[in-house]
């Protein structure tokens, strides 16, 4: 900080100039490391009109193999860090304009849209903040802070949505309960306002316990609630988990609103790795990890489900966000039902079924699981996919059983 103050006192600073740009980078680094909390004021004094071409370009240090963030990227990170403590709304609006101009220049920085969304919350632009934060919540559904951030995009007229987001946040697992202290506090205040006194006291007691154990100050709002007439006679709920589970659905519906369903088929279930593989087309698959989607354990190969998903254009992957049962059929381009006699050659553990001139491969595990024998009439479902061993596409059974 002293270095930056000394620099600011230099009477004739070359702007734009290399030294001026280097000072911007130094200030941003200091802010990211929590040693320069007034970065937004500094940046306005520094004046973005002085940005040069090099400030927008990443560089790889000598002997390094990975490019470093450019100075504009560092400035965006520093604005996010400094905005947490900044109280001046005019400065926050100015910072939001700077971020709006530059954050999309770096599409591989997945957090920049979230940073901008958080800044818009601070400036009161809640609808646009929500549009930016929802994609992060979709990717980070198991993280309490993502749902808490979504709650921050709710207006005063959306108390039911706020309540639901806080419920969903409190259903997430955390390493330390103290991480949830702000969420418990907001929930306690909201429940008290709704007249749910027993549930509210449960939250307030958690806040007091956490803050006391950590030596943290108890907020004036919580102290005020504790001093309300009759508070001492309220019996706190033993647990609010049932309350959370009952009301979390509105928040979950919000993040998937407008997303189309992809009708896909279960291709494989690997219980050792805890993953269910879904076929979305002849080339595209996505995974349901059992720790994130426990219900995926009960699916069976050949089951058809509807999936909300997102595409990671940078890494060329598709990630499942949610799934439900459906009576719709996947595209006939990669999915079909078949029925016919099973053809197995002597000594071979696999077989084929030909149906309407389409030959379907039946792998050994399905034959063994169904106790199938050659020439028996079977039926099932098949997926059109690429066979790496033969380097060509073909139909492979996902499920098969004796035909009735």
């Amino acid at each position: 900080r002293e270095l930056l103050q000394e620099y600011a006192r230099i009477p004739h600073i070359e702007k734009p100039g290399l030294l001026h740009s280097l000072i911007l980078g130094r200030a941003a680094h200091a802010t990211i490391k929590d040693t320069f909390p007034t970065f937004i004021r500094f940046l306005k004094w520094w004046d973005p009109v002085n940005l040069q071409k090099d400030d927008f370009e990443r560089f790889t240090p000598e002997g390094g193999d990975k490019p470093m963030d450019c100075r504009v990227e560092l400035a965006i990170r520093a604005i996010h860090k400094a905005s947490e403590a900044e109280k001046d709304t005019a400065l926050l609006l100015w910072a939001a304009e700077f971020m709006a101009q530059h954050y999309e220049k770096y599409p591989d920085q997945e957090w920049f849209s979230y940073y901008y969304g958080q800044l818009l919350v601070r400036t009161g632009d809640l609808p646009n903040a929500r549009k930016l934060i929802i994609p992060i919540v979709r990717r980070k559904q198991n993280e309490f802070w993502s749902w808490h951030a979504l709650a921050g995009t709710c207006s005063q007229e959306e108390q039911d949505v706020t309540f639901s987001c806080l419920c969903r946040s409190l259903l997430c697992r955390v390493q330390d309960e103290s991480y949830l202290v702000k969420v418990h506090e907001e929930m306690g205040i909201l429940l008290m306002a709704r007249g749910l006194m027993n549930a509210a006291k449960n939250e307030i007691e958690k806040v007091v316990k956490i803050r006391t154990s950590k030596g943290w100050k108890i907020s004036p709002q919580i102290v005020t609630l504790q001093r309300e007439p009759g508070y001492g006679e309220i019996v706190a709920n033993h647990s609010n988990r049932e309350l959370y589970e009952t009301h979390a659905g509105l928040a979950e519906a919000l993040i998937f609103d407008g997303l189309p369903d992809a009708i896909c088929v279960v291709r494989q279930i690997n219980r050792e790795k805890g993953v269910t593989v879904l076929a979305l087309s002849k080339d595209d698959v996505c995974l349901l990890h059992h720790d994130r989607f426990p219900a995926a354990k009960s699916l069976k190969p050949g089951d058809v489900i509807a999936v909300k998903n997102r595409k990671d254009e940078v890494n060329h992957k598709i990630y499942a966000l949610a799934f439900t049962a459906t009576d719709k059929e996947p595209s006939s381009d990669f999915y079909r039902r078949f029925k016919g006699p099973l053809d197995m050659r002597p000594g071979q553990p696999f077989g084929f079924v030909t149906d309407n001139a389409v030959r379907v491969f039946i792998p050994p595990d399905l034959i063994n699981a169904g106790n199938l024998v050659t020439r028996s009439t079977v039926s099932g479902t098949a997926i059109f996919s690429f066979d790496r061993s033969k380097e060509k596409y073909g139909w492979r059974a996902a499920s098969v059983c004796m035909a009735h």
Side-chain angles (χ1 to χ4, degrees):
R1 180 182 299 183
E2 292 75 14
L3 173 64
L4 297 173
Q5 290 173 343
E6 183 178 342
Y7 175 75
R9 289 193 291 267
I10 297 175
H12 302 292
I13 300 172
E14 183 183 356
K15 303 177 185 178
L18 177 59
L19 179 59
H20 202 51
S21 291
L22 293 174
I23 286 294
L24 172 63
R26 180 64 66 88
H29 275 296
T31 305
I32 294 167
K33 294 179 180 178
D34 284 323
T35 60
F36 190 53
T38 58
F39 178 80
I40 298 175
R41 296 171 186 272
F42 167 84
L43 181 61
K44 190 172 184 181
W45 168 86
W46 189 93
D47 195 350
V49 75
N50 294 309
L51 287 168
Q52 302 180 93
K53 183 175 180 289
D54 286 351
D55 296 321
F56 292 90
E57 298 177 351
R58 296 171 181 171
F59 66 96
T60 302
E62 187 176 350
D65 57 359
K66 184 179 180 182
M68 308 292 288
D69 284 353
C70 68
R71 282 182 280 272
V72 172
E73 289 174 285
L74 291 173
I76 290 172
R77 294 185 186 279
I79 287 173
H80 171 67
K81 193 76 174 179
S83 66
E84 298 170 4
E86 184 57 63
K87 305 297 183 185
D88 189 322
T89 302
L91 268 179
L92 290 172
L93 285 166
W94 180 88
E97 290 179 9
F98 175 89
M99 200 176 287
Q101 291 174 16
H102 301 299
Y103 84 97
E104 289 182 305
K105 292 183 173 77
Y106 308 97
D108 59 329
Q109 294 279 14
E110 66 169 336
W111 292 104
F112 279 10
S113 58
Y114 175 73
Y115 294 166
Y116 183 39
Q118 287 287 72
L119 196 52
L120 291 181
V121 170
R122 296 292 311 281
T123 63
D125 188 356
L126 301 181
N128 284 316
R130 180 174 294 176
K131 291 176 184 177
L132 292 163
I133 288 174
I134 278 179
I136 292 291
V137 184
R138 288 172 182 162
R139 297 201 293 269
K140 302 292 182 180
Q141 293 178 56
N142 290 344
E143 302 290 344
F144 82 93
W145 54 262
S146 70
W147 297 100
H148 190 210
L150 186 60
T153 70
C154 298
S155 66
Q156 288 296 319
E157 292 73 36
E158 296 179 297
Q159 289 298 300
D160 286 346
V161 183
T162 303
F163 178 42
S164 182
C165 290
L166 295 178
C167 285
R168 185 61 181 81
S169 177
L170 290 169
L171 285 173
C172 296
R173 295 180 180 178
V174 292
Q175 291 182 337
D176 190 322
E177 186 71 15
S178 66
Y179 296 168
L180 295 171
V181 66
K182 290 184 179 180
V183 188
H184 283 306
E185 185 165 326
E186 291 175 24
M187 179 65 90
I189 294 169
L190 186 58
L191 290 171
M192 192 68 80
R194 289 183 162 222
L196 301 174
M197 303 303 184
N198 308 94
K201 190 166 185 177
N202 172 279
E203 303 293 332
I204 293 169
E205 288 183 347
K206 285 179 180 176
V207 172
V208 173
K209 181 179 179 181
I210 291 169
R211 289 194 173 277
T212 301
S213 66
K214 297 289 185 179
W216 299 339
K217 183 179 178 180
I218 297 174
S219 71
Q221 286 178 297
I222 293 297
V223 173
T224 299
L225 291 177
Q226 289 179 304
R227 291 174 178 171
E228 288 286 330
Y231 178 84
E233 285 71 49
I234 299 172
V235 178
N237 284 352
H238 175 69
S239 170
N240 281 345
R241 185 170 183 84
E242 184 177 350
L243 177 80
Y244 306 155
E245 292 173 341
T246 301
H247 295 281
L250 186 60
E252 293 175 335
L254 177 63
I255 70 168
F256 300 128
D257 183 42
L259 280 182
D261 286 325
I263 308 304
C264 57
V265 57
V266 176
R267 191 170 84 176
Q268 179 187 4
I269 298 176
N270 189 323
R271 301 193 184 282
E272 290 184 4
K273 294 184 177 180
V275 67
T276 295
V277 182
L278 307 178
L280 283 76
S281 70
K282 66 184 182 68
D283 296 307
D284 296 323
V285 300
C286 70
L287 308 179
L288 293 175
H289 292 277
H290 297 170
D291 57 347
R292 183 175 176 186
F293 300 101
K297 297 177 184 178
S298 61
L299 294 172
K300 301 183 297 297
D303 283 353
V304 175
I305 59 175
V307 174
K308 305 281 190 184
N309 65 81
R310 72 174 181 89
K311 292 185 178 181
D312 183 340
E313 302 294 351
V314 176
N315 297 307
H316 307 292
K317 292 183 178 180
I318 301 174
Y319 296 94
L321 301 172
F323 76 91
T324 57
T326 182
D327 56 3
K328 297 180 180 179
E329 293 257 308
S331 169
S332 59
D333 290 342
F334 75 98
Y335 173 84
R336 67 176 286 122
R337 297 181 182 275
F338 66 88
K339 182 177 180 180
L342 174 63
D343 180 16
M344 296 178 64
R345 296 179 181 179
Q348 291 184 334
F350 56 84
F352 295 90
V353 172
T354 301
D355 182 16
N356 290 325
V358 175
R359 198 166 188 243
V360 178
F361 172 71
I362 315 296
D365 59 320
L366 293 184
I367 290 175
N368 293 333
N371 294 316
L372 306 179
V373 295
T374 189
R375 308 313 303 164
S376 58
T377 301
V378 300
S379 63
T381 59
I383 300 172
F384 193 63
S385 57
F386 188 73
D387 186 338
R388 293 181 180 176
S389 63
K390 296 183 178 180
E391 295 188 344
K392 66 179 183 178
Y393 286 92
W395 289 98
R396 181 186 178 96
S399 65
V400 64
C401 63
M402 294 292 294
H404 299 291

